[in-house]
Amino acid sequence: PKKSGGSRKETVKVPALDGFDNVPVIEINVSEGDEVEADDALVTVESDKATMEIPSPYAGKIGKVLVSEGDKISEGLDLVEMTIVEEGGDEGEEDASSEASESSGKEKQEGEPESKGKPSEPKPEQSSATYEPPAPGAKVHAGPAVRKLAREFGADLTRIRGSGPKSRILKDDVQAYVKSQLQQTQQGSTVAGGGGAGIPGVKLPDFSQFGEIERESMSRMMFATANNMQRSWLNVPHVTQFEDADITDMEDFRKAQKAAGEKKGVKMTPLPFLLKACATALAELPQFNVSLDMDRKEVIRKQFIHIGIAVDTPHGLMVPVIKDVDKKGLWELAAESADLAQKARDKQLKPAEMQGACFTITSLGGIGGTAFTPIVNTPEVAILGVSKAAMKPVWDGKDFQPRLMLPLSLSYDHRAVNGADAARFTSVLSQLLGDIRSLLL
Protein backbone atom coordinates (compact mmCIF):
# COMPACT_ATOMS: atom_id res chain seq x y z
CA PRO A 1 0.00 0.00 0.00
CA LYS A 2 1.14 3.50 -0.85
CA LYS A 3 2.31 5.60 2.13
CA SER A 4 1.95 9.35 2.19
CA GLY A 5 3.95 11.68 4.42
CA GLY A 6 4.22 15.44 4.88
CA SER A 7 2.22 17.62 7.20
CA ARG A 8 -1.15 19.30 7.27
CA LYS A 9 -2.78 22.22 9.03
CA GLU A 10 -5.75 21.64 11.28
CA THR A 11 -7.96 24.11 13.12
CA VAL A 12 -8.85 22.74 16.56
CA LYS A 13 -12.40 23.57 17.57
CA VAL A 14 -13.88 23.82 21.08
CA PRO A 15 -15.30 20.38 22.03
CA ALA A 16 -18.57 19.78 23.92
CA LEU A 17 -18.58 21.68 27.23
CA ASP A 18 -21.31 19.67 28.99
CA GLY A 19 -23.92 21.57 27.01
CA PHE A 20 -22.89 25.01 28.27
CA ASP A 21 -22.32 28.06 26.09
CA ASN A 22 -20.24 31.20 26.60
CA VAL A 23 -17.73 29.68 29.03
CA PRO A 24 -14.99 32.18 29.93
CA VAL A 25 -11.31 31.39 29.15
CA ILE A 26 -9.25 32.01 32.30
CA GLU A 27 -5.84 30.86 31.04
CA ILE A 28 -4.07 30.19 27.72
CA ASN A 29 -1.71 27.22 28.23
CA VAL A 30 0.17 27.31 24.90
CA SER A 31 1.80 29.88 22.64
CA GLU A 32 2.75 30.04 18.97
CA GLY A 33 5.54 27.60 18.05
CA ASP A 34 4.95 25.24 21.03
CA GLU A 35 5.22 21.50 20.35
CA VAL A 36 2.34 19.67 22.05
CA GLU A 37 1.35 16.04 22.55
CA ALA A 38 -2.22 14.77 22.21
CA ASP A 39 -4.19 15.54 25.40
CA ASP A 40 -1.89 18.42 26.45
CA ALA A 41 -3.92 21.36 27.80
CA LEU A 42 -4.53 24.15 25.27
CA VAL A 43 -6.65 26.53 27.36
CA THR A 44 -8.33 26.50 30.78
CA VAL A 45 -11.99 27.52 31.07
CA GLU A 46 -14.36 27.98 33.98
CA SER A 47 -17.67 26.12 33.68
CA ASP A 48 -20.66 26.16 36.02
CA LYS A 49 -18.97 24.17 38.78
CA ALA A 50 -15.29 23.92 38.03
CA THR A 51 -12.27 24.97 36.08
CA MET A 52 -11.39 22.54 33.29
CA GLU A 53 -8.68 22.20 30.69
CA ILE A 54 -9.44 21.75 26.98
CA PRO A 55 -6.98 19.12 25.68
CA SER A 56 -5.35 19.01 22.25
CA PRO A 57 -6.86 16.26 20.06
CA TYR A 58 -3.57 15.97 18.11
CA ALA A 59 0.19 15.97 18.59
CA GLY A 60 1.81 18.78 16.61
CA LYS A 61 3.05 22.35 16.54
CA ILE A 62 0.91 25.30 17.60
CA GLY A 63 0.38 27.94 14.92
CA LYS A 64 -2.01 30.75 15.76
CA VAL A 65 -3.92 30.87 19.07
CA LEU A 66 -7.36 32.14 18.03
CA VAL A 67 -8.78 33.05 21.46
CA SER A 68 -7.64 35.39 24.24
CA GLU A 69 -7.93 35.35 28.01
CA GLY A 70 -11.37 36.56 29.06
CA ASP A 71 -13.05 35.47 25.79
CA LYS A 72 -16.29 33.53 26.18
CA ILE A 73 -16.18 30.38 24.05
CA SER A 74 -18.79 27.85 22.97
CA GLU A 75 -18.71 24.44 21.32
CA GLY A 76 -17.52 24.53 17.70
CA LEU A 77 -15.59 27.82 17.97
CA ASP A 78 -12.08 27.88 16.41
CA LEU A 79 -9.50 27.56 19.21
CA VAL A 80 -5.99 27.16 17.72
CA GLU A 81 -4.35 26.42 14.39
CA MET A 82 -1.92 23.49 14.42
CA THR A 83 0.52 21.79 12.08
CA ILE A 84 0.27 18.00 12.28
CA VAL A 85 2.78 15.55 10.80
CA GLU A 86 1.02 13.11 8.49
CA GLU A 87 1.48 9.40 9.12
CA GLY A 88 -0.04 8.26 5.83
CA GLY A 89 -1.54 4.84 5.09
CA ASP A 90 -4.65 3.71 3.26
CA GLU A 91 -8.20 2.94 4.24
CA GLY A 92 -7.97 -0.88 4.03
CA GLU A 93 -5.05 -0.84 6.44
CA GLU A 94 -7.07 0.96 9.12
CA ASP A 95 -9.90 -1.51 8.86
CA ALA A 96 -7.57 -4.34 9.76
CA SER A 97 -5.76 -2.39 12.46
CA SER A 98 -6.13 -3.12 16.15
CA GLU A 99 -8.32 -0.97 18.36
CA ALA A 100 -5.21 0.29 20.15
CA SER A 101 -4.08 2.17 17.04
CA GLU A 102 -7.44 3.87 16.51
CA SER A 103 -6.18 7.31 17.58
CA SER A 104 -3.48 7.35 14.89
CA GLY A 105 -6.00 5.73 12.54
CA LYS A 106 -8.32 8.65 13.09
CA GLU A 107 -5.63 11.11 12.08
CA LYS A 108 -4.92 9.03 8.96
CA GLN A 109 -8.58 9.00 7.99
CA GLU A 110 -8.96 12.71 8.43
CA GLY A 111 -5.84 13.38 6.38
CA GLU A 112 -6.82 11.06 3.53
CA PRO A 113 -8.67 13.49 1.26
CA GLU A 114 -5.49 15.59 1.01
CA SER A 115 -2.98 12.72 0.87
CA LYS A 116 -4.98 11.09 -1.94
CA GLY A 117 -5.20 14.41 -3.77
CA LYS A 118 -8.98 14.80 -3.57
CA PRO A 119 -9.48 18.36 -2.31
CA SER A 120 -12.93 18.31 -3.91
CA GLU A 121 -14.13 16.07 -1.05
CA PRO A 122 -14.26 18.51 1.89
CA LYS A 123 -14.65 17.14 5.39
CA PRO A 124 -18.13 18.12 6.63
CA GLU A 125 -18.06 20.02 9.90
CA GLN A 126 -19.08 17.88 12.81
CA SER A 127 -21.56 20.44 14.12
CA SER A 128 -23.42 20.58 10.80
CA ALA A 129 -23.69 16.79 10.33
CA THR A 130 -27.22 15.48 9.99
CA TYR A 131 -28.15 12.02 11.15
CA GLU A 132 -30.60 10.17 8.93
CA PRO A 133 -31.04 6.51 8.02
CA PRO A 134 -29.50 5.85 4.59
CA ALA A 135 -31.30 4.01 1.80
CA PRO A 136 -32.11 0.37 2.68
CA GLY A 137 -29.14 -1.94 2.13
CA ALA A 138 -26.58 0.88 2.21
CA LYS A 139 -23.16 -0.21 3.45
CA VAL A 140 -21.70 1.28 6.65
CA HIS A 141 -18.02 2.33 6.43
CA ALA A 142 -16.37 2.20 9.87
CA GLY A 143 -13.25 0.70 11.44
CA PRO A 144 -13.35 -1.95 14.20
CA ALA A 145 -12.69 0.51 17.06
CA VAL A 146 -15.47 2.80 15.84
CA ARG A 147 -17.85 -0.17 15.69
CA LYS A 148 -16.81 -1.14 19.23
CA LEU A 149 -17.48 2.42 20.47
CA ALA A 150 -20.90 2.41 18.80
CA ARG A 151 -21.73 -0.92 20.50
CA GLU A 152 -20.72 0.51 23.90
CA PHE A 153 -22.97 3.54 23.37
CA GLY A 154 -25.78 1.45 21.88
CA ALA A 155 -25.66 3.71 18.79
CA ASP A 156 -27.06 2.52 15.46
CA LEU A 157 -24.29 3.05 12.86
CA THR A 158 -26.81 3.08 9.99
CA ARG A 159 -28.23 6.34 11.41
CA ILE A 160 -24.87 8.14 11.57
CA ARG A 161 -23.54 10.22 8.69
CA GLY A 162 -19.75 9.84 8.50
CA SER A 163 -17.48 12.86 8.10
CA GLY A 164 -14.46 10.86 6.85
CA PRO A 165 -13.59 10.12 3.21
CA LYS A 166 -16.33 8.24 1.32
CA SER A 167 -18.68 9.00 4.26
CA ARG A 168 -16.56 6.86 6.54
CA ILE A 169 -17.75 7.03 10.18
CA LEU A 170 -15.16 8.31 12.69
CA LYS A 171 -15.17 8.18 16.49
CA ASP A 172 -16.08 11.90 16.56
CA ASP A 173 -19.19 11.17 14.48
CA VAL A 174 -20.39 8.50 16.94
CA GLN A 175 -19.80 10.82 19.90
CA ALA A 176 -21.53 13.76 18.17
CA TYR A 177 -24.52 11.54 17.31
CA VAL A 178 -24.87 10.22 20.88
CA LYS A 179 -24.55 13.76 22.26
CA SER A 180 -27.23 15.10 19.91
CA GLN A 181 -29.59 12.26 20.90
CA LEU A 182 -29.01 12.98 24.60
CA GLN A 183 -29.62 16.70 24.10
CA GLN A 184 -32.88 16.01 22.30
CA THR A 185 -33.96 13.71 25.16
CA GLN A 186 -33.03 16.30 27.80
CA GLN A 187 -34.75 19.13 25.92
CA GLY A 188 -37.84 16.96 25.63
CA SER A 189 -37.89 16.21 29.35
CA THR A 190 -37.01 19.67 30.67
CA VAL A 191 -39.21 22.02 28.67
CA ALA A 192 -39.79 25.48 30.11
CA GLY A 193 -41.84 25.44 33.27
CA GLY A 194 -40.69 21.96 34.24
CA GLY A 195 -42.94 19.94 31.92
CA GLY A 196 -41.98 16.83 29.99
CA ALA A 197 -42.45 13.12 30.73
CA GLY A 198 -46.22 13.70 30.45
CA ILE A 199 -46.21 16.22 33.31
CA PRO A 200 -48.01 19.50 32.59
CA GLY A 201 -45.81 22.60 32.84
CA VAL A 202 -46.44 25.45 35.27
CA LYS A 203 -47.60 28.63 33.53
CA LEU A 204 -46.37 31.68 35.42
CA PRO A 205 -48.63 34.66 35.96
CA ASP A 206 -47.38 38.22 35.40
CA PHE A 207 -46.10 38.86 38.93
CA SER A 208 -45.62 42.58 38.27
CA GLN A 209 -49.40 43.02 38.57
CA PHE A 210 -49.08 42.23 42.31
CA GLY A 211 -46.18 44.55 43.07
CA GLU A 212 -42.61 45.43 42.20
CA ILE A 213 -40.37 42.59 40.93
CA GLU A 214 -36.84 42.16 39.68
CA ARG A 215 -35.66 39.48 37.21
CA GLU A 216 -32.21 37.92 37.48
CA SER A 217 -30.57 35.27 35.29
CA MET A 218 -29.95 31.89 36.92
CA SER A 219 -26.26 31.06 37.23
CA ARG A 220 -25.11 28.09 35.13
CA MET A 221 -24.62 26.17 38.33
CA MET A 222 -28.10 26.89 39.66
CA PHE A 223 -29.67 25.83 36.35
CA ALA A 224 -27.60 22.61 36.22
CA THR A 225 -28.48 21.77 39.85
CA ALA A 226 -32.18 22.47 39.23
CA ASN A 227 -32.19 20.13 36.22
CA ASN A 228 -30.35 17.38 38.12
CA MET A 229 -32.72 17.60 41.10
CA GLN A 230 -35.79 17.50 38.87
CA ARG A 231 -34.44 14.57 36.86
CA SER A 232 -33.67 12.61 40.05
CA TRP A 233 -37.02 13.42 41.64
CA LEU A 234 -39.01 12.40 38.54
CA ASN A 235 -37.04 9.21 37.78
CA VAL A 236 -36.30 7.79 41.24
CA PRO A 237 -38.94 6.38 43.62
CA HIS A 238 -37.64 7.88 46.87
CA VAL A 239 -38.06 6.52 50.39
CA THR A 240 -36.33 7.96 53.47
CA GLN A 241 -35.31 5.91 56.51
CA PHE A 242 -34.64 7.77 59.81
CA GLU A 243 -32.35 6.79 62.68
CA ASP A 244 -30.68 8.45 65.70
CA ALA A 245 -27.05 7.46 66.35
CA ASP A 246 -25.56 7.86 69.84
CA ILE A 247 -22.31 9.77 69.22
CA THR A 248 -21.51 10.69 72.87
CA ASP A 249 -18.33 8.56 73.04
CA MET A 250 -17.33 9.42 69.47
CA GLU A 251 -17.50 13.16 70.26
CA ASP A 252 -15.45 12.68 73.46
CA PHE A 253 -12.78 10.86 71.43
CA ARG A 254 -12.90 13.43 68.61
CA LYS A 255 -12.49 16.38 70.99
CA ALA A 256 -9.57 14.59 72.68
CA GLN A 257 -7.74 14.72 69.31
CA LYS A 258 -7.59 18.53 69.32
CA ALA A 259 -3.90 18.73 70.34
CA ALA A 260 -2.89 16.01 67.86
CA GLY A 261 -4.82 17.85 65.15
CA GLU A 262 -3.02 21.13 65.88
CA LYS A 263 0.33 19.33 65.50
CA LYS A 264 -0.75 17.87 62.14
CA GLY A 265 -2.40 21.11 61.03
CA VAL A 266 -5.65 19.18 60.45
CA LYS A 267 -8.97 19.73 62.20
CA MET A 268 -10.80 16.51 63.10
CA THR A 269 -14.52 17.01 62.44
CA PRO A 270 -17.33 14.42 62.69
CA LEU A 271 -17.23 13.98 58.86
CA PRO A 272 -14.28 11.50 58.71
CA PHE A 273 -16.14 9.24 61.19
CA LEU A 274 -19.28 9.42 59.04
CA LEU A 275 -17.25 8.69 55.88
CA LYS A 276 -15.59 5.67 57.50
CA ALA A 277 -18.88 4.34 58.88
CA CYS A 278 -20.61 4.73 55.47
CA ALA A 279 -17.71 2.97 53.70
CA THR A 280 -17.99 0.04 56.13
CA ALA A 281 -21.79 -0.12 55.68
CA LEU A 282 -21.42 -0.03 51.86
CA ALA A 283 -18.97 -2.94 52.03
CA GLU A 284 -21.28 -4.90 54.36
CA LEU A 285 -24.44 -4.17 52.31
CA PRO A 286 -23.17 -4.05 48.70
CA GLN A 287 -26.71 -3.59 47.30
CA PHE A 288 -26.21 0.10 48.19
CA ASN A 289 -23.05 0.28 46.06
CA VAL A 290 -24.78 -0.16 42.71
CA SER A 291 -26.28 1.75 39.79
CA LEU A 292 -29.22 0.56 37.70
CA ASP A 293 -29.17 0.31 33.92
CA MET A 294 -32.90 0.10 33.27
CA ASP A 295 -32.45 0.10 29.46
CA ARG A 296 -30.33 -3.06 29.58
CA LYS A 297 -32.11 -4.48 32.64
CA GLU A 298 -28.76 -4.76 34.45
CA VAL A 299 -27.41 -3.93 37.92
CA ILE A 300 -23.91 -2.40 37.88
CA ARG A 301 -22.06 -3.53 41.01
CA LYS A 302 -19.08 -1.32 41.93
CA GLN A 303 -15.91 -2.82 43.39
CA PHE A 304 -14.72 0.56 44.73
CA ILE A 305 -15.99 2.91 47.44
CA HIS A 306 -15.93 6.59 46.47
CA ILE A 307 -18.12 8.94 48.55
CA GLY A 308 -19.36 12.42 47.58
CA ILE A 309 -19.65 15.16 50.21
CA ALA A 310 -22.21 17.89 49.49
CA VAL A 311 -20.68 21.31 50.18
CA ASP A 312 -22.72 24.50 50.55
CA THR A 313 -20.80 27.28 48.76
CA PRO A 314 -21.64 30.91 47.93
CA HIS A 315 -22.08 29.75 44.30
CA GLY A 316 -24.48 26.89 45.15
CA LEU A 317 -24.31 23.20 46.03
CA MET A 318 -21.20 21.28 44.93
CA VAL A 319 -20.29 17.63 45.53
CA PRO A 320 -16.55 16.80 45.57
CA VAL A 321 -15.76 13.06 45.73
CA ILE A 322 -13.33 11.30 48.08
CA LYS A 323 -11.92 8.21 46.37
CA ASP A 324 -11.26 4.83 48.10
CA VAL A 325 -12.64 5.90 51.49
CA ASP A 326 -12.36 2.31 52.76
CA LYS A 327 -8.56 2.40 52.29
CA LYS A 328 -7.91 5.69 54.13
CA GLY A 329 -7.48 6.56 57.81
CA LEU A 330 -9.38 9.24 59.75
CA TRP A 331 -6.60 11.88 59.58
CA GLU A 332 -6.19 11.37 55.84
CA LEU A 333 -9.96 11.68 55.33
CA ALA A 334 -10.05 14.80 57.54
CA ALA A 335 -7.30 16.49 55.50
CA GLU A 336 -8.74 15.46 52.12
CA SER A 337 -12.34 16.46 52.92
CA ALA A 338 -11.19 19.88 54.23
CA ASP A 339 -9.05 20.41 51.13
CA LEU A 340 -11.85 19.45 48.70
CA ALA A 341 -14.43 21.56 50.58
CA GLN A 342 -12.13 24.60 50.34
CA LYS A 343 -11.55 23.94 46.63
CA ALA A 344 -15.34 23.78 46.16
CA ARG A 345 -15.78 27.15 47.89
CA ASP A 346 -13.00 28.68 45.73
CA LYS A 347 -14.43 27.11 42.50
CA GLN A 348 -11.12 25.28 41.99
CA LEU A 349 -12.51 21.73 41.68
CA LYS A 350 -11.57 19.79 38.55
CA PRO A 351 -14.30 17.73 36.83
CA ALA A 352 -12.46 14.50 37.85
CA GLU A 353 -12.79 15.54 41.52
CA MET A 354 -16.59 15.57 41.21
CA GLN A 355 -17.06 12.25 39.40
CA GLY A 356 -17.30 8.57 40.29
CA ALA A 357 -19.20 8.72 43.62
CA CYS A 358 -21.04 5.58 44.79
CA PHE A 359 -22.88 7.35 47.65
CA THR A 360 -23.26 10.91 48.98
CA ILE A 361 -23.27 12.46 52.45
CA THR A 362 -25.05 15.79 52.90
CA SER A 363 -24.73 17.37 56.34
CA LEU A 364 -26.87 20.23 57.61
CA GLY A 365 -25.83 19.57 61.22
CA GLY A 366 -23.82 22.77 61.41
CA ILE A 367 -26.92 24.80 60.56
CA GLY A 368 -29.70 22.96 62.36
CA GLY A 369 -32.82 20.88 61.88
CA THR A 370 -34.02 17.57 63.27
CA ALA A 371 -34.38 15.57 60.01
CA PHE A 372 -34.90 16.06 56.27
CA THR A 373 -35.44 14.01 53.13
CA PRO A 374 -32.44 14.45 50.79
CA ILE A 375 -32.86 13.75 47.06
CA VAL A 376 -30.82 10.78 45.76
CA ASN A 377 -27.95 11.93 43.54
CA THR A 378 -28.82 9.52 40.70
CA PRO A 379 -27.26 7.28 39.24
CA GLU A 380 -26.24 6.59 42.87
CA VAL A 381 -28.97 4.73 44.76
CA ALA A 382 -28.70 6.29 48.23
CA ILE A 383 -27.76 9.49 50.07
CA LEU A 384 -27.25 10.10 53.79
CA GLY A 385 -28.60 13.31 55.31
CA VAL A 386 -27.11 14.36 58.66
CA SER A 387 -28.92 16.84 60.93
CA LYS A 388 -27.98 18.68 64.14
CA ALA A 389 -26.90 16.50 67.10
CA ALA A 390 -28.83 17.13 70.34
CA MET A 391 -28.67 15.89 73.94
CA LYS A 392 -31.61 13.56 74.61
CA PRO A 393 -32.65 11.36 77.54
CA VAL A 394 -31.98 7.73 76.55
CA TRP A 395 -33.31 4.80 78.64
CA ASP A 396 -30.53 2.37 79.64
CA GLY A 397 -32.78 -0.25 81.30
CA LYS A 398 -32.80 1.42 84.72
CA ASP A 399 -32.58 5.19 84.16
CA PHE A 400 -32.64 7.91 81.53
CA GLN A 401 -29.10 8.96 80.60
CA PRO A 402 -28.19 12.20 78.82
CA ARG A 403 -26.75 11.11 75.45
CA LEU A 404 -25.71 13.11 72.37
CA MET A 405 -27.89 11.82 69.52
CA LEU A 406 -27.19 12.44 65.83
CA PRO A 407 -30.24 12.30 63.49
CA LEU A 408 -29.57 10.39 60.24
CA SER A 409 -31.88 10.50 57.18
CA LEU A 410 -31.12 7.86 54.53
CA SER A 411 -32.97 8.45 51.23
CA TYR A 412 -32.77 5.54 48.80
CA ASP A 413 -33.94 4.42 45.37
CA HIS A 414 -36.63 1.83 46.06
CA ARG A 415 -35.98 0.14 42.69
CA ALA A 416 -32.52 -0.92 43.90
CA VAL A 417 -32.94 -1.15 47.68
CA ASN A 418 -35.78 -2.51 49.79
CA GLY A 419 -36.93 -1.13 53.14
CA ALA A 420 -35.45 -3.93 55.25
CA ASP A 421 -31.98 -3.32 53.79
CA ALA A 422 -32.31 0.43 54.39
CA ALA A 423 -33.17 -0.25 58.04
CA ARG A 424 -30.12 -2.56 58.24
CA PHE A 425 -27.91 0.17 56.72
CA THR A 426 -28.92 2.86 59.24
CA SER A 427 -28.67 0.28 62.03
CA VAL A 428 -25.08 -0.57 60.98
CA LEU A 429 -24.23 3.16 60.85
CA SER A 430 -25.72 3.67 64.31
CA GLN A 431 -23.69 0.78 65.77
CA LEU A 432 -20.44 1.94 64.12
CA LEU A 433 -20.84 5.55 65.27
CA GLY A 434 -22.01 4.39 68.73
CA ASP A 435 -18.79 2.46 69.29
CA ILE A 436 -16.09 3.77 66.96
CA ARG A 437 -13.74 0.95 67.98
CA SER A 438 -15.83 -1.26 65.68
CA LEU A 439 -14.49 0.80 62.71
CA LEU A 440 -11.13 -0.91 63.34
CA LEU A 441 -12.55 -4.40 62.90
Side-chain angles (χ1 to χ4, degrees), residues 43 49 54 79 86 97 113 125 172 181 223 287 355 359:
V43 301
K49 293 188 178 182
I54 295 183
L79 196 60
E86 284 278 39
S97 69
E125 283 205 12
D172 286 352
Q181 294 298 307
F223 186 71
Q287 57 269 52
Q355 294 167 349
F359 183 86

Side-chain angles (χ1 to χ4, degrees), residues 152-280:
E152 285 169 357
F153 279 135
D156 180 358
L157 282 171
T158 61
R159 300 183 68 86
I160 301 175
R161 185 169 130 194
S163 63
K166 297 182 182 170
S167 297
R168 186 183 188 76
I169 298 170
L170 312 179
K171 272 186 173 180
D172 286 352
D173 300 324
V174 177
Q175 285 161 342
Y177 171 72
V178 171
K179 183 170 162 284
S180 74
Q181 294 298 307
L182 284 172
Q183 278 176 342
Q184 284 170 27
T185 308
Q186 284 166 4
Q187 283 160 6
S189 63
T190 55
V191 296
I199 295 163
V202 178
K203 188 153 173 55
L204 297 179
D206 175 9
F207 294 107
S208 61
Q209 65 184 309
F210 311 121
E212 197 175 323
I213 61 162
E214 187 183 319
R215 281 184 170 269
E216 179 192 335
S217 288
M218 284 186 196
S219 68
R220 280 197 206 95
M221 190 163 151
M222 183 182 179
F223 186 71
T225 303
N227 267 336
N228 287 342
M229 292 296 170
Q230 185 180 17
R231 190 165 58 235
S232 279
W233 186 251
L234 291 176
N235 284 292
V236 173
H238 281 69
V239 184
T240 308
Q241 170 76 21
F242 300 99
E243 179 79 84
D244 277 354
D246 183 342
I247 58 163
T248 319
D249 298 340
M250 184 194 100
E251 279 297 271
D252 289 344
F253 173 77
R254 183 182 72 80
K255 286 170 183 168
Q257 303 310 308
K258 195 174 176 189
E262 281 168 3
K263 269 188 192 170
K264 292 174 186 284
V266 179
K267 189 180 177 188
M268 182 62 80
T269 68
L271 182 60
F273 295 93
L274 285 162
L275 282 162
K276 217 50 193 158
C278 288
T280 305

Side-chain angles (χ1 to χ4, degrees), residues 281-294:
L282 286 166
E284 208 167 300
L285 295 160
Q287 57 269 52
F288 282 84
N289 196 8
V290 304
S291 285
L292 300 181
D293 186 337
M294 297 302 284

